[in-house]
Amino acid sequence: MELKNVDIILTTDRSMMTNHHGKEFLGFMATGPPIGMPESLWMWIACPKMKTDRFGRPWQAPYALRKLEALLQDHGYNAWVIDPDYVDLYIDKAKIMMISHHDYFALCPPSSEWWVITRKEPVNARSFRRFMEKTSIREAKKRGLKIIVGGPPAWQWLYKVDLWANWGVDTVVEGEGERIVLDLVRKVFDNEPLPRYVFVGPGDSPRLEEISTIKYPSVNGLVEIMRGCPRGCKFCSVTLRSLRNMPLDIIEKEMIINIENGVHNGILHSEDVLLYGARGIKPNPEALLKLHELARKHLKEIAWSHASLAAIKNAEEEYKLISKIMEIVKSGDNQDYLGVEVGLETGSPKLAKKIMPAKSAPYPPEKWPQVVEDAFMIMHENNIVPAATLILGLPEESEEDLVMTAELLDKLRPYRSLIVPMFFVPMGLLKDKDWFTSVKVKDEHIEVMRKCLWHSVYWAEDIINRFYLKKSSTAPLRILLKLFLRYVRWKGRSVEKKLGLKPLDISLIQTVR
Amino acid sequence: MVESVLDKTFYEIWHIGEVDDLSIDKIIDYMNKAISEGARSIRLRFYLNSYGDLSYIQYIRRILLNNTLATIVVEDRVIEELGKDVEKLNNNVIVIMNKVEKEFPGEDKVRIVKVV
Ligand code: SF4
């Protein structure tokens, strides 16, 4: 379809408009500053440019933008996702530019952690700033262009009021967008003033039938299978929103859209894939097997966005479900492993009880470290490769909690995984420009962080050798990543030396392979 | 059919005058009361001396960051629009006035709360 004008441009900066070479884990590098190499090379590894058609429509785009594009087109608007390099083609005549992001100012983990450790601004924030400071956008603003920004990190704008004003952002939207976006667009078209900030409460979350089906491919074939999460962790905003399972026919439709447009792999997106179709926190074997059979039928490679460790343990111990799902996943001969993000958060049952009492359910929070260890073992045995996050610096955290986390990390050594510590940054600190210098890092934090570092470096090399980037076309990237890991080893050792720390013996990891 | 967020009936709190911690406390008091009585759509409207001055946002952070239950719509207008807006009023509105002496059109739908 030819494109002359676009009334509503949906876009974001390069750190988001990329498929990370088809490898979601590489997206992690987009949250850090360039280390040991020039920014351009770092950006090429982490966020290569997206292929576009001659009108600047990207081949793949972030799922949230695809959902909005579909919603607006379904309501008769001339709205398109446009690659950031092509926005200038349309900005002169556009009425609205809508932007979505995962981390506008690099204030969410893991970006915030990179700030604290390196004292340098991560590339996602740099790239976003470059985009917003384009002269063409400034000019279009003078002419009356409306800018609406949203996504999970919308709250960050509350700490960047100067940029909010300088860049001429009209409205910031936090929460699920379906209903409010149509309201806002209507207001612009009717020349009515826009609100400055909207927090969409759980009561205004859309029902399933209000959610449009994507019309063009999403980044790495991501398809949403459910919204919401029932576990209610204290530090998380997903909770409180009602649970909605996407019907299989809608999921299939979106998979087919991706495949027909040449995106053959797919990521099943949910806060906890293993709760698809569940009532409460008990997995529903039938729904999960059907979902994975469907994914196997259509997709070359399947990945999960997130799963909870408790559900992994429960699904396997009660129903042998992880083994059954992995049998389905591996049955296509295209795939011998599956990647997923999991929340490890802490090794301390006491802290777990305080901040996430339902995360271990159906097991009691007192059993949390055992749940983690068992789930890691189950994943290792089934070739599921988790990228686990843990939270450091919560106000409730004690030194004893950190010691327990360090002990748990020792127990997890034999299991193939990446473990990424995330620093909790108290919101009060974010007011200051150089907030990252005020974050207090204790000795116990350093101990946990270096355990994570050596664990992840060791297993990252194993993952690259065994599963990742095996095709000859990805050889340059593989070589670069290996060089990068070598640099990280060297840098890690020199920092340990500087701090007077005895190097950790990572060879001890080699127990289970 | 996608439902509208903005067409719903809102619990209205308007603010006139200087935005500071005291006036925000007042807003929070009224918001908490409204939420405890079941309101789930709240509009906060700030009447400013000049359009585009977003300095009030730093004060409303604590309102927004502590809320998880209600939809909150924040608007700002120049003070000159107040009279027109009062004429169009359909619902009751709480008007928080801080460090400002302002004649308010006699409206039975308006409840004025003076901070200082
Ligand atoms: S399990 Fe994950 S998504 Fe669910 S409430 Fe906890 S942190 Fe949030």
Side-chain angles (χ1 to χ4, degrees):
Chain A
M1 188 184 157
E2 293 272 320
L3 211 57
K4 283 205 184 101
N5 295 327
V6 176
D7 289 337
I8 306 170
I9 299 172
L10 300 151
T11 193
T12 187
D13 71 279
R14 178 63 60 219
S15 70
M16 293 282 303
M17 193 71 83
T18 176
N19 69 350
H20 315 291
H21 302 276
K23 302 289 174 195
E24 277 295 308
F25 280 173
L26 287 180
F28 176 67
M29 287 178 75
T31 65
I35 296 171
M37 62 181 86
E39 185 173 344
S40 51
L41 185 56
W42 184 275
M43 282 295 279
W44 179 79
I45 296 175
C47 342
K49 284 192 178 195
M50 177 54 66
K51 206 165 73 184
T52 66
D53 67 6
R54 66 197 170 96
F55 303 106
R57 289 176 295 201
W59 172 36
Q60 301 169 35
Y63 189 77
L65 289 177
R66 286 297 190 217
K67 279 295 208 202
L68 287 182
E69 178 184 54
L71 174 82
L72 291 164
Q73 290 184 2
D74 284 346
H75 286 79
Y77 292 104
N78 173 19
W80 292 93
V81 177
I82 301 293
D83 184 89
D85 288 353
Y86 290 80
V87 160
D88 289 2
L89 287 181
Y90 307 102
I91 197 108
D92 280 351
K93 298 210 173 104
K95 287 186 189 309
I96 308 173
M97 180 165 74
M98 286 189 184
I99 303 171
S100 168
H101 213 283
H102 286 164
D103 199 357
Y104 289 103
F105 303 105
L107 300 180
C108 292
S111 315
S112 51
E113 169 129 37
W114 285 102
W115 272 108
V116 173
I117 295 171
T118 66
R119 305 285 197 244
K120 286 191 194 145
E121 186 182 33
V123 293
N124 47 2
R126 297 179 195 204
S127 161
F128 180 61
R129 193 182 50 243
R130 277 196 298 271
F131 175 72
M132 289 305 283
E133 289 182 349
K134 279 162 86 97
T135 321
S136 56
I137 296 181
R138 208 164 279 274
E139 292 299 319
K141 270 307 298 174
K142 284 188 204 150
R143 194 192 36 75
L145 176 81
K146 300 291 179 199
I147 301 181
I148 299 173
V149 300
W155 60 269
Q156 295 182 359
W157 290 91
L158 298 170
Y159 293 91
K160 298 287 172 185
V161 181
D162 49 341
L163 295 176
W164 184 343
N166 281 347
W167 292 341
V169 171
D170 293 275
T171 305
V172 177
V173 176
E174 189 179 350
E176 289 184 69
E178 274 82 0
R179 293 182 178 177
I180 187 68
V181 157
L182 287 178
D183 281 337
L184 298 176
V185 166
R186 233 175 273 135
K187 276 189 174 287
V188 174
F189 278 73
D190 291 347
N191 274 323
E192 286 177 23
L194 287 170
R196 193 62 77 182
Y197 195 96
V198 181
F199 173 86
V200 181
D204 285 311
S205 296
R207 295 183 307 273
L208 278 179
E209 56 277 22
E210 292 174 284
I211 301 173
S212 290
T213 307
I214 61 168
K215 299 182 190 300
Y216 302 95
S218 56
V219 168
N220 294 328
L222 186 140
V223 167
E224 185 177 44
I225 59 163
M226 62 188 284
R227 285 192 190 178
C229 172
R231 294 191 187 266
C233 303
K234 231 173 134 182
F235 50 86
C236 175
S237 61
V238 175
T239 207
L240 283 170
R241 309 207 176 263
S242 61
L243 270 180
R244 282 146 295 164
N245 291 296
M246 301 297 155
L248 283 180
D249 59 325
I250 300 290
I251 296 173
E252 183 169 33
K253 238 182 184 172
E254 295 201 338
M255 283 176 182
I256 291 171
I257 291 283
N258 283 324
I259 292 158
E260 284 179 350
N261 287 283
V263 184
H264 296 281
N265 299 337
I267 302 168
L268 305 179
H269 185 275
S270 158
E271 302 311 327
D272 191 346
V273 168
L274 290 168
L275 293 191
Y276 178 71
R279 257 168 250 109
I281 41 89
K282 286 290 231 182
N284 176 340
E286 199 193 331
L288 279 168
L289 292 174
K290 276 193 181 149
L291 172 72
H292 285 86
E293 275 157 11
L294 178 77
R296 184 66 296 149
K297 183 173 140 202
H298 291 295
L299 305 175
K300 209 161 140 200
E301 283 180 27
I302 305 165
W304 294 345
S305 65
H306 306 85
S308 70
L309 295 167
I312 288 167
K313 175 175 158 75
N314 189 234
E316 183 64 6
E317 290 181 352
E318 246 182 74
Y319 315 98
K320 287 261 163 262
L321 201 45
I322 300 297
S323 320
K324 285 182 195 164
I325 288 172
M326 284 311 288
E327 248 172 56
I328 298 172
V329 169
K330 289 187 210 158
S331 66
D333 283 346
N334 280 323
Q335 176 164 12
D336 47 9
Y337 81 104
L338 182 140
V340 63
E341 197 180 314
V342 297
L344 190 164
E345 323 306 9
T346 176
S348 157
K350 214 168 79 206
L351 188 60
K353 205 169 171 178
K354 278 189 214 157
I355 61 167
M356 43 183 217
K359 189 127 172 164
S360 58
Y363 311 100
E366 290 77 13
K367 288 261 179 306
W368 177 244
Q370 195 58 53
V371 171
V372 174
E373 204 186 330
D374 292 350
F376 268 65
M377 190 183 68
I378 291 165
M379 289 190 285
H380 186 92
E381 284 171 352
N382 285 280
N383 276 9
I384 295 178
V385 182
T389 53
L390 58 88
I391 304 189
L392 299 178
L394 284 166
E396 299 88 345
E397 171 195 274
S398 68
E399 275 157 28
E400 190 198 341
D401 295 326
L402 289 167
V403 170
M404 296 188 90
T405 300
E407 283 169 6
L408 179 61
L409 289 173
D410 288 339
K411 291 187 186 150
L412 298 180
R413 276 180 175 196
Y415 307 122
R416 186 181 300 108
S417 52
L418 304 176
I419 304 182
V420 186
M422 310 261 197
F423 237 98
F424 175 82
V425 179
M427 296 229 178
L429 287 187
L430 297 177
K431 291 195 300 280
D432 306 320
K433 212 161 157 253
D434 52 356
W435 58 271
F436 46 91
T437 56
S438 322
V439 175
K440 298 271 171 292
V441 182
K442 299 182 200 159
D443 287 350
E444 290 82 359
H445 289 140
I446 293 176
E447 196 52 27
V448 168
M449 287 198 280
R450 70 187 188 118
K451 277 184 195 286
C452 291
L453 174 78
W454 294 120
H455 177 103
S456 299
V457 166
Y458 174 82
W459 282 115
E461 280 167 355
D462 176 84
I463 293 163
I464 292 174
N465 289 334
R466 250 171 218 253
F467 304 121
Y468 228 47
L469 304 164
K470 284 197 294 197
K471 283 191 222 140
S472 54
S473 60
T474 55
L477 193 56
R478 189 170 56 235
I479 293 165
L480 273 173
L481 280 175
K482 286 192 168 183
L483 285 174
F484 175 63
L485 286 174
R486 209 178 283 174
Y487 173 81
V488 173
R489 268 178 188 268
W490 171 79
K491 189 81 188 165
R493 287 293 177 227
S494 64
V495 171
E496 280 182 336
K497 210 164 151 195
K498 219 162 106 190
L499 296 173
L501 298 167
K502 195 172 149 246
L504 287 177
D505 184 2
I506 54 168
S507 61
L508 287 179
I509 283 173
Q510 297 168 25
T511 42
V512 188
R513 293 298 292 258
Chain B
M1 181 68 185
V2 179
E3 270 183 40
S4 162
V5 175
L6 299 181
D7 286 352
K8 288 188 173 165
T9 304
F10 278 78
Y11 185 92
E12 303 268 354
I13 304 177
W14 296 359
H15 184 289
I16 303 171
E18 193 179 316
V19 183
D20 61 17
D21 283 327
L22 278 180
S23 63
I24 293 297
D25 286 344
K26 270 277 175 282
I27 293 179
I28 291 175
D29 287 349
Y30 280 95
M31 272 184 60
N32 287 344
K33 192 168 157 275
I35 289 172
S36 69
E37 287 166 3
R40 290 294 178 268
S41 301
I42 297 174
R43 186 183 344 259
L44 307 178
R45 184 180 288 170
F46 293 83
Y47 285 91
L48 310 172
N49 289 329
S50 60
Y51 184 75
D53 174 11
L54 299 189
S55 51
Y56 74 96
I57 297 279
Q58 58 178 307
Y59 288 98
I60 64 165
R61 260 189 229 132
R62 60 190 173 100
I63 300 179
L64 293 166
L65 296 175
N66 287 325
N67 164 67
T68 47
L69 284 178
T71 288
I72 298 183
V73 174
V74 178
E75 297 178 351
D76 52 53
R77 306 263 172 116
V78 278
I79 188 75
E80 286 75 25
E81 293 183 37
L82 179 63
K84 219 170 61 204
D85 290 342
V86 174
E87 274 170 30
K88 286 191 286 186
L89 253 184
N90 293 324
N91 317 323
N92 293 336
V93 54
I94 310 280
V95 178
I96 310 282
M97 287 177 85
N98 189 29
K99 297 181 189 165
V100 69
E101 281 307 321
K102 185 146 186 72
E103 282 301 305
F104 211 87
E107 264 290 341
D108 50 355
K109 291 202 167 97
V110 177
R111 163 137 182 243
I112 294 179
V113 179
K114 291 206 173 181
V115 184
V116 178

